[in-house]
């Protein structure tokens, strides 16, 4: 079973959200998602300044097996992207919850985090996926 940190919130589309507590959040893909993809070879990052609504496609992650769209788990403005992934996309495989983060956003509505899954609920989603 993949790692599912309890301090994060999750989307059914396998993105995680770390609430920074200051109106911003870090977003990436889950350990389960990176395992399902296999060796990541490319990550298309969103543009800084882009406004996203929940469910908007914000990028693509490609592996040796497949390409998968990335969807915004919360609405907000992209403040920063993880440029490291341009030269080292495999960081998503090696460290999906730390170094392999994808973007930082300013959240439009912090209460939207309550609409996301907690670790237990996400574990049920991930298990059904296997």
């Amino acid at each position: 079973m993949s790692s599912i940190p309890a301090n994060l919130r999750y989307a059914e589309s396998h993105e995680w959200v770390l609430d920074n507590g200051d109106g911003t959040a870090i977003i990436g893909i889950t350990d389960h998602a990176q395992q399902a993809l296999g060796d990541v070879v490319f990550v298309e990052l969103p543009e800084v300044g882009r406004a996203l609504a929940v469910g908007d496609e914000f990028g693509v992650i490609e592996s040796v097996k497949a390409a998968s769209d990335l969807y915004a788990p919360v609405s907000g403005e992209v403040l920063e992207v993880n440029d490291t992934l341009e030269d080292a996309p495999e960081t998503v495989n090696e460290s999906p919850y730390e170094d392999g983060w994808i973007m930082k956003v300013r959240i439009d509505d912090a209460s939207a985090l309550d609409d996301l899954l907690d670790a237990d609920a996400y574990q049920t989603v991930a298990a059904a996926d296997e």
Side-chain angles (χ1 to χ4, degrees), residues 38-59:
D39 295 335
V40 173
V41 296
F42 176 75
V43 179
E44 177 187 295
L45 300 168
E47 287 185 36
V48 172
R50 179 175 171 195
L52 296 170
V54 172
D56 281 357
E57 183 184 314
F58 69 82

mmCIF file of all heavy atoms in Angstrom, residues 38-59:
data_model
loop_
_atom_site.group_PDB
_atom_site.id
_atom_site.type_symbol
_atom_site.label_atom_id
_atom_site.label_comp_id
_atom_site.label_asym_id
_atom_site.label_seq_id
_atom_site.Cartn_x
_atom_site.Cartn_y
_atom_site.Cartn_z
ATOM 1 N N GLY A 38 4.295 4.898 -12.909
ATOM 2 C CA GLY A 38 5.626 4.361 -13.182
ATOM 3 C C GLY A 38 6.621 5.491 -13.305
ATOM 4 O O GLY A 38 6.406 6.589 -12.778
ATOM 5 N N ASP A 39 7.715 5.258 -14.009
ATOM 6 C CA ASP A 39 8.800 6.232 -14.096
ATOM 7 C C ASP A 39 8.358 7.504 -14.810
ATOM 8 O O ASP A 39 8.098 7.490 -16.016
ATOM 9 C CB ASP A 39 10.008 5.638 -14.818
ATOM 10 C CG ASP A 39 10.633 4.490 -14.042
ATOM 11 O OD1 ASP A 39 10.479 4.452 -12.809
ATOM 12 O OD2 ASP A 39 11.266 3.629 -14.676
ATOM 13 N N VAL A 40 8.284 8.615 -14.064
ATOM 14 C CA VAL A 40 7.867 9.900 -14.630
ATOM 15 C C VAL A 40 9.015 10.476 -15.453
ATOM 16 O O VAL A 40 10.159 10.542 -14.998
ATOM 17 C CB VAL A 40 7.442 10.870 -13.510
ATOM 18 C CG1 VAL A 40 7.167 12.263 -14.070
ATOM 19 C CG2 VAL A 40 6.208 10.336 -12.782
ATOM 20 N N VAL A 41 8.691 10.876 -16.693
ATOM 21 C CA VAL A 41 9.711 11.405 -17.603
ATOM 22 C C VAL A 41 9.470 12.865 -17.983
ATOM 23 O O VAL A 41 10.348 13.512 -18.547
ATOM 24 C CB VAL A 41 9.823 10.541 -18.886
ATOM 25 C CG1 VAL A 41 10.309 9.140 -18.550
ATOM 26 C CG2 VAL A 41 8.505 10.482 -19.639
ATOM 27 N N PHE A 42 8.270 13.409 -17.667
ATOM 28 C CA PHE A 42 7.968 14.790 -18.028
ATOM 29 C C PHE A 42 6.814 15.297 -17.180
ATOM 30 O O PHE A 42 5.849 14.570 -16.936
ATOM 31 C CB PHE A 42 7.590 14.896 -19.508
ATOM 32 C CG PHE A 42 7.172 16.269 -19.946
ATOM 33 C CD1 PHE A 42 8.106 17.270 -20.131
ATOM 34 C CD2 PHE A 42 5.830 16.567 -20.157
ATOM 35 C CE1 PHE A 42 7.725 18.553 -20.526
ATOM 36 C CE2 PHE A 42 5.436 17.842 -20.553
ATOM 37 C CZ PHE A 42 6.385 18.830 -20.735
ATOM 38 N N VAL A 43 6.917 16.545 -16.719
ATOM 39 C CA VAL A 43 5.825 17.200 -16.006
ATOM 40 C C VAL A 43 5.592 18.555 -16.668
ATOM 41 O O VAL A 43 6.507 19.383 -16.744
ATOM 42 C CB VAL A 43 6.134 17.398 -14.508
ATOM 43 C CG1 VAL A 43 4.969 18.098 -13.815
ATOM 44 C CG2 VAL A 43 6.445 16.071 -13.842
ATOM 45 N N GLU A 44 4.382 18.763 -17.176
ATOM 46 C CA GLU A 44 4.000 20.073 -17.725
ATOM 47 C C GLU A 44 3.464 20.905 -16.572
ATOM 48 O O GLU A 44 2.463 20.543 -15.944
ATOM 49 C CB GLU A 44 2.918 19.908 -18.794
ATOM 50 C CG GLU A 44 2.432 21.224 -19.362
ATOM 51 C CD GLU A 44 1.247 21.022 -20.293
ATOM 52 O OE1 GLU A 44 1.429 20.381 -21.341
ATOM 53 O OE2 GLU A 44 0.144 21.490 -19.953
ATOM 54 N N LEU A 45 4.153 21.996 -16.274
ATOM 55 C CA LEU A 45 3.790 22.858 -15.155
ATOM 56 C C LEU A 45 2.863 23.978 -15.608
ATOM 57 O O LEU A 45 2.956 24.453 -16.738
ATOM 58 C CB LEU A 45 5.058 23.452 -14.539
ATOM 59 C CG LEU A 45 6.063 22.435 -13.982
ATOM 60 C CD1 LEU A 45 7.379 23.123 -13.666
ATOM 61 C CD2 LEU A 45 5.501 21.732 -12.765
ATOM 62 N N PRO A 46 1.978 24.442 -14.719
ATOM 63 C CA PRO A 46 1.105 25.569 -15.076
ATOM 64 C C PRO A 46 1.899 26.875 -15.078
ATOM 65 O O PRO A 46 3.008 26.936 -14.536
ATOM 66 C CB PRO A 46 0.068 25.566 -13.953
ATOM 67 C CG PRO A 46 0.798 24.996 -12.784
ATOM 68 C CD PRO A 46 1.741 23.967 -13.361
ATOM 69 N N GLU A 47 1.318 27.908 -15.665
ATOM 70 C CA GLU A 47 1.953 29.224 -15.667
ATOM 71 C C GLU A 47 1.710 29.924 -14.342
ATOM 72 O O GLU A 47 0.596 29.908 -13.817
ATOM 73 C CB GLU A 47 1.373 30.096 -16.786
ATOM 74 C CG GLU A 47 1.809 29.696 -18.173
ATOM 75 C CD GLU A 47 1.287 30.683 -19.224
ATOM 76 O OE1 GLU A 47 1.225 31.893 -18.941
ATOM 77 O OE2 GLU A 47 0.944 30.212 -20.314
ATOM 78 N N VAL A 48 2.754 30.557 -13.808
ATOM 79 C CA VAL A 48 2.601 31.378 -12.610
ATOM 80 C C VAL A 48 1.646 32.519 -12.950
ATOM 81 O O VAL A 48 1.717 33.110 -14.024
ATOM 82 C CB VAL A 48 3.972 31.903 -12.132
ATOM 83 C CG1 VAL A 48 3.798 32.925 -11.011
ATOM 84 C CG2 VAL A 48 4.848 30.750 -11.677
ATOM 85 N N GLY A 49 0.710 32.795 -12.041
ATOM 86 C CA GLY A 49 -0.280 33.841 -12.260
ATOM 87 C C GLY A 49 -1.596 33.324 -12.815
ATOM 88 O O GLY A 49 -2.595 34.043 -12.817
ATOM 89 N N ARG A 50 -1.595 32.088 -13.259
ATOM 90 C CA ARG A 50 -2.822 31.509 -13.832
ATOM 91 C C ARG A 50 -3.867 31.309 -12.739
ATOM 92 O O ARG A 50 -3.567 30.836 -11.652
ATOM 93 C CB ARG A 50 -2.501 30.177 -14.494
ATOM 94 C CG ARG A 50 -3.705 29.498 -15.093
ATOM 95 C CD ARG A 50 -3.337 28.246 -15.837
ATOM 96 N NE ARG A 50 -4.542 27.518 -16.200
ATOM 97 C CZ ARG A 50 -4.552 26.264 -16.603
ATOM 98 N NH1 ARG A 50 -3.418 25.604 -16.734
ATOM 99 N NH2 ARG A 50 -5.686 25.675 -16.903
ATOM 100 N N ALA A 51 -5.105 31.664 -13.048
ATOM 101 C CA ALA A 51 -6.219 31.427 -12.132
ATOM 102 C C ALA A 51 -6.826 30.067 -12.456
ATOM 103 O O ALA A 51 -7.090 29.763 -13.620
ATOM 104 C CB ALA A 51 -7.268 32.519 -12.288
ATOM 105 N N LEU A 52 -7.028 29.269 -11.423
ATOM 106 C CA LEU A 52 -7.584 27.929 -11.592
ATOM 107 C C LEU A 52 -8.879 27.793 -10.815
ATOM 108 O O LEU A 52 -9.001 28.329 -9.713
ATOM 109 C CB LEU A 52 -6.601 26.873 -11.069
ATOM 110 C CG LEU A 52 -5.263 26.743 -11.771
ATOM 111 C CD1 LEU A 52 -4.333 25.833 -10.974
ATOM 112 C CD2 LEU A 52 -5.469 26.192 -13.178
ATOM 113 N N ALA A 53 -9.822 27.076 -11.379
ATOM 114 C CA ALA A 53 -11.042 26.692 -10.669
ATOM 115 C C ALA A 53 -10.942 25.204 -10.354
ATOM 116 O O ALA A 53 -10.213 24.463 -11.029
ATOM 117 C CB ALA A 53 -12.270 26.971 -11.540
ATOM 118 N N VAL A 54 -11.651 24.781 -9.333
ATOM 119 C CA VAL A 54 -11.657 23.361 -8.979
ATOM 120 C C VAL A 54 -11.986 22.532 -10.217
ATOM 121 O O VAL A 54 -12.931 22.829 -10.949
ATOM 122 C CB VAL A 54 -12.688 23.066 -7.869
ATOM 123 C CG1 VAL A 54 -12.836 21.570 -7.647
ATOM 124 C CG2 VAL A 54 -12.291 23.750 -6.584
ATOM 125 N N GLY A 55 -11.164 21.525 -10.472
ATOM 126 C CA GLY A 55 -11.401 20.636 -11.609
ATOM 127 C C GLY A 55 -10.734 21.060 -12.896
ATOM 128 O O GLY A 55 -10.705 20.290 -13.856
ATOM 129 N N ASP A 56 -10.176 22.282 -12.937
ATOM 130 C CA ASP A 56 -9.463 22.716 -14.149
ATOM 131 C C ASP A 56 -8.225 21.856 -14.365
ATOM 132 O O ASP A 56 -7.501 21.541 -13.420
ATOM 133 C CB ASP A 56 -8.989 24.174 -14.026
ATOM 134 C CG ASP A 56 -10.078 25.189 -14.275
ATOM 135 O OD1 ASP A 56 -11.211 24.796 -14.598
ATOM 136 O OD2 ASP A 56 -9.785 26.396 -14.126
ATOM 137 N N GLU A 57 -7.978 21.516 -15.618
ATOM 138 C CA GLU A 57 -6.735 20.833 -15.958
ATOM 139 C C GLU A 57 -5.620 21.873 -15.885
ATOM 140 O O GLU A 57 -5.712 22.934 -16.485
ATOM 141 C CB GLU A 57 -6.836 20.264 -17.372
ATOM 142 C CG GLU A 57 -5.629 19.483 -17.809
ATOM 143 C CD GLU A 57 -5.728 19.023 -19.248
ATOM 144 O OE1 GLU A 57 -6.781 18.499 -19.649
ATOM 145 O OE2 GLU A 57 -4.746 19.218 -19.973
ATOM 146 N N PHE A 58 -4.565 21.572 -15.121
ATOM 147 C CA PHE A 58 -3.482 22.553 -14.993
ATOM 148 C C PHE A 58 -2.158 22.055 -15.543
ATOM 149 O O PHE A 58 -1.181 22.784 -15.573
ATOM 150 C CB PHE A 58 -3.327 23.036 -13.550
ATOM 151 C CG PHE A 58 -2.809 22.015 -12.574
ATOM 152 C CD1 PHE A 58 -1.450 21.753 -12.467
ATOM 153 C CD2 PHE A 58 -3.684 21.321 -11.751
ATOM 154 C CE1 PHE A 58 -0.973 20.825 -11.554
ATOM 155 C CE2 PHE A 58 -3.215 20.395 -10.835
ATOM 156 C CZ PHE A 58 -1.852 20.149 -10.739
ATOM 157 N N GLY A 59 -2.111 20.830 -15.999
ATOM 158 C CA GLY A 59 -0.867 20.300 -16.535
ATOM 159 C C GLY A 59 -1.013 18.838 -16.894
ATOM 160 O O GLY A 59 -2.103 18.270 -16.809
#
